[in-house]
Amino acid sequence: MNQNQMFSEMTGAALARLAGRDPAALARAAGVSWDPAALTVESLGVRYTLALPDYRCRPEMEPWQYLVVLHHLDLADGTPVSDRLCTFGALKDGLIRGGGFDRTSAEALARLLHGLEPDRLRRAVSALGGREIQTNADFTARLPFLPRIPLVLKAWYADEDFPASGKLLLTESADRYLTIEDAVTVGEVTLEKLKQALE
């Protein structure tokens, strides 16, 4: 099965699960806005409208990002966002897929951060709706993939002893809102958006 066919089948299944569900209840559980005509979802600095009842998205969202949003609406249970951070590998069923993403994302961030001016990273994070927070890293930002699915980017700039490095983390409550496959997609989409914002 090719990627387009897989996406179409998974999207159809997700829409079928949402059919007939109370949009007000979905919005409360997912922390998004609702009116009788649409749900309003903010993701990485962009506001999207999902028209009801067919969940058609405007402006158009990247396909796999859109699928994650549909899955999130289906799974969301209103659990408060945790203050505790975790790796993708620490999520439920995350040992293989999540652990693999932890490694590949660290490699990708090391490449992105190599020789990067700190102000460029700050501007890119701001363009994605992120905000800087204080931690033990040289730079840390909270990136709002969805209201109840924040990611935390930690970056360490190169010095005379160590090369640049970075980590992308989720909050422990992500397990209540995403499957591990969706979590990895969230990470991949966020990395790609960050790369685009840095170009």
Side-chain angles (χ1 to χ4, degrees), residues 9 45 57 92 157:
E9 290 190 5
C57 186
K92 180 182 176 184
Y157 300 117

Side-chain angles (χ1 to χ4, degrees), residues 1 7 10 33 51 57 60-61 76-77 113 119 127 143 148 161 165 169 171 179 184 199:
M1 183 182 300
F7 171 76
M10 294 175 73
S33 302
C57 186
E60 189 171 345
M61 191 181 286
D77 64 4
L113 294 167
D119 281 347
L143 294 163
R148 300 225 165 129
D161 296 317
S165 63
L169 303 164
T171 63
T179 65
V184 169
E199 289 175 349

